[in-house]
Amino acid sequence: MDAQEGTQQSQQLILAHKVFLLKHRDVPDIEKVRLKDEVLNTVKSNYMTPYYENLVADKVLDLDHSVLDSMRAKNEEEIKKIDEKIADAEENLGESEVREAHLAKFLYFIQIGEKEKALEQLKVTENKTVAVGQKMDLVFYSLQIGFFYMDFDLISKSIDTAKNLFEKGGDWERKNRLKVYEGLYCMSTRNFKKAANLFLDSISTFTTYELFPYDTFIFYTVLTSIISLDRVSLKQKVVDAPEILTVIGKIPHLSEFLSSLYNCQYKSFFLAFAGLTEQIKMDRCLHLHFRFYMREIRTVVYSQFLESYKSVTIEAMAKAFGVTVEFIDQELSRFIAAGKLHCKIDKVAGVLETNRPDAKNALYQATIKQGDFLLNRIQKLSRVIDL
C-alpha cells in the first residue's frame, strides 16, 4: 500500500475512513456531499473496480456504467502487462526478478481493492520469498488489507504469522512496527489494557505512519492508558512522558482530559470528556466501543473520587462533578448494581459509604480455604494408604 516506508498515511486507509464517515448517521449531509466526491475521485484515480462495485452495492456511491467499464478495461490492461512481465521473468530472468513481478501483481490487486485475488497472489509471492525481512513486509501488507476491510480474522492470523517469523529473526524496526499494528487490533477488539501497553512500548520508536499520523497514535495511547493504568503508572508513563507532552496540546480537549483526571478536577474532566466524545464516535476503530468506553472512564473517575473518603454526601460529590444530585444518584446506582463501584447509598441521609474490599482479608480467607482443601485431600489419601 501507499506510503509504507514514508511518513504519510496509506491512501487506502484514508479512503476507508472517508467511506466510514459517509455511512455514519451523525455526519451532516453537506459534509457527505464533499466526502462522496473525494471517495469517487480516489476510486477512479486508482481504477478500483471491485471496490467501486462494493460501494455501489452498499448504496454509498451511484452506479455509472461508463466509469465502471473504463476502470474494468484499465484493470484488464494492467493485469495483462503484469502477467507478461511475470512470464518474461520466469523465462529469461532470475528468482528475485520473478518475485518482484509477482509482488507487483499483488500490490496492484491491493490498489484496486480486489481483496480475494490479492490474498491469493500473496500466497504465490510468499512462496517466491526467502528473506525473513521481505516476508515480514508481506505480512504488513496483509495487515493493512485487514484494517482496510476491518477483517479481524485476517489481522489476527497475520499477527501470529509475524510473531512466528520473528522467532527466526527480524530487525527491531519491524518488531516495533508490529507492536503498533497489534495495539490497534487490540483496541479495535476492546482489549484496551493490552493495547495501552503495546502503544506505550512504541512511543519512542513510532514509525508506523502508514496506519495513522503520530497525533492519532498519541490520542489512542492516552485514551487506552487512562482506563488501563493505575494512578502511579499513569503519572510515570503518560502524564510526564515527553513524547506525549510535545503532541497532546495539538489534539482538542485531550490535554484537559488527562490533566483534569490526574489533578482531580472533576468538573473540568467532564467538560473535556464531552468535547472528546465526538472524536471517539467519529473514529473508525473506536466508534463501536463508544458506550463501553463511556462506562469504563466514568468507573475510573468515580472510583478515584471515592478512594479519598470513608463516607461523603451525594450533594458534595454532585457539586465536585458539576452535575445534579439526581444525576449522580442514578449514575452510582447503576455502577453499584453492576459491581463496578464498592460503596452503598444511604438515601435517607443523602450519604455515600464506601466499602472497599480488604485485600489482606481476602488473601487470608483464600489461604484458609486452600488450607482446608489440602487437609481434606491428605485425609482422603491417608485412608487409601491405611487400606
Side-chain angles (χ1 to χ4, degrees):
M1 285 195 176
D2 298 341
Q4 170 130 351
E5 300 299 333
T7 58
Q8 297 294 319
Q9 188 178 6
S10 160
Q11 291 301 309
Q12 273 82 358
L13 293 181
I14 292 172
L15 173 63
H17 182 65
K18 287 177 180 177
V19 171
F20 161 73
L21 292 177
L22 266 177
K23 295 178 179 179
H24 204 295
R25 62 185 180 184
D26 292 340
V27 175
D29 289 341
I30 192 166
E31 179 70 9
K32 285 187 177 181
V33 172
R34 181 185 64 79
L35 287 167
K36 197 170 185 179
D37 287 340
E38 290 179 1
V39 167
L40 183 58
N41 289 334
T42 303
V43 168
K44 287 163 67 176
S45 63
N46 287 293
Y47 303 101
M48 302 178 74
T49 309
Y51 193 60
Y52 177 72
E53 290 174 325
N54 291 339
L55 293 179
V56 169
D58 292 341
K59 297 181 179 179
V60 175
L61 294 178
D62 301 319
L63 177 60
D64 185 328
H65 286 287
S66 62
V67 170
L68 183 62
D69 292 341
S70 65
M71 290 196 299
R72 189 171 284 150
K74 181 67 175 177
N75 292 160
E76 290 171 358
E77 180 188 336
E78 285 297 319
I79 291 169
K80 185 179 178 182
K81 286 181 183 176
I82 295 171
D83 284 339
E84 287 172 358
K85 286 182 181 178
I86 291 172
D88 178 57
E90 287 176 341
E91 280 187 36
N92 306 311
L93 302 172
E95 291 181 0
S96 63
E97 287 81 5
V98 171
R99 179 196 174 273
E100 289 301 315
H102 280 289
L103 177 62
K105 189 174 183 179
F106 167 58
L107 294 177
Y108 186 72
F109 282 137
I110 293 178
Q111 178 189 317
I112 65 175
E114 184 69 271
K115 180 186 176 185
E116 299 307 323
K117 287 185 179 179
L119 293 176
E120 288 172 13
Q121 186 62 31
L122 171 64
K123 292 177 183 176
V124 176
T125 310
E126 280 177 342
N127 292 334
K128 306 287 183 183
T129 305
V130 177
V132 173
Q134 290 179 332
K135 286 187 175 183
M136 274 303 309
D137 289 337
L138 291 176
V139 174
F140 284 124
Y141 283 126
S142 177
L143 284 165
Q144 288 179 48
I145 295 171
F147 281 114
F148 181 64
Y149 292 99
M150 281 301 185
D151 184 341
F152 295 124
D153 185 51
L154 174 60
I155 295 168
S156 178
K157 288 177 180 176
S158 299
I159 289 170
D160 290 340
T161 301
K163 288 180 177 177
N164 290 334
L165 283 172
F166 279 136
E167 290 178 4
K168 301 174 185 176
D171 57 85
W172 283 106
E173 192 267 339
R174 288 187 175 94
K175 287 182 179 179
N176 289 327
R177 285 176 62 204
L178 181 64
K179 286 182 181 179
V180 180
Y181 277 90
E182 188 177 2
L184 184 60
Y185 166 70
C186 290
M187 187 186 75
S188 301
T189 53
R190 205 177 281 184
N191 189 349
F192 290 114
K193 187 174 180 63
K194 187 174 182 181
N197 290 331
L198 288 165
F199 286 153
L200 288 167
D201 283 348
S202 310
I203 281 185
S204 58
T205 57
F206 179 83
T207 56
T208 322
Y209 295 101
E210 69 274 12
L211 273 185
F212 36 59
Y214 192 62
D215 291 8
T216 304
F217 172 66
I218 294 299
F219 176 69
Y220 289 156
T221 303
V222 172
L223 288 186
T224 53
S225 297
I226 279 180
I227 62 170
S228 305
L229 303 182
D230 58 64
R231 188 173 167 80
V232 175
S233 299
L234 189 69
K235 173 73 170 171
Q236 292 173 344
K237 297 179 179 180
V238 182
V239 176
D240 291 340
E243 296 89 351
I244 291 176
L245 290 172
T246 55
V247 176
I248 196 169
K250 300 176 185 176
I251 305 165
H253 308 291
L254 191 62
S255 180
E256 297 89 344
F257 179 65
L258 177 61
S259 60
S260 58
L261 173 68
Y262 185 76
N263 296 322
C264 305
Q265 298 166 343
Y266 301 113
K267 193 181 293 187
S268 300
F269 174 82
F270 263 33
L271 290 171
F273 187 47
L276 276 178
T277 52
E278 194 69 14
Q279 289 172 254
I280 297 171
K281 281 198 285 187
M282 295 296 174
D283 188 277
R284 187 164 169 257
C285 297
L286 285 172
H287 77 285
L288 289 174
H289 314 298
F290 174 70
R291 292 174 68 85
F292 174 82
Y293 190 84
M294 288 276 286
R295 287 195 302 271
E296 288 300 302
I297 196 63
R298 276 144 58 205
T299 302
V300 169
V301 76
Y302 293 149
S303 298
Q304 180 174 292
F305 177 84
L306 293 169
E307 190 75 26
S308 307
Y309 299 95
K310 179 71 176 173
S311 65
V312 62
T313 64
I314 300 174
E315 185 179 354
M317 186 171 180
K319 188 177 179 181
F321 283 90
V323 295
T324 63
V325 171
E326 291 75 17
F327 175 81
I328 209 75
D329 182 40
Q330 289 177 0
E331 279 274 274
L332 295 179
S333 298
R334 287 198 295 268
F335 285 112
I336 293 168
K340 296 281 188 179
L341 294 176
H342 301 290
C343 64
K344 59 183 179 180
I345 301 173
D346 185 340
K347 188 75 172 176
V348 177
V351 172
L352 284 165
E353 295 180 5
T354 58
N355 55 355
R356 290 185 292 276
D358 187 337
K360 285 186 178 179
N361 188 48
L363 184 62
Y364 174 75
Q365 294 296 336
T367 305
I368 295 294
K369 190 174 181 180
Q370 290 170 0
D372 286 342
F373 177 74
L374 180 61
L375 286 171
N376 289 335
R377 292 294 298 271
I378 291 171
Q379 286 175 354
K380 287 179 182 178
L381 185 62
S382 66
R383 291 193 199 107
V384 172
I385 293 171
D386 288 342
L387 290 172

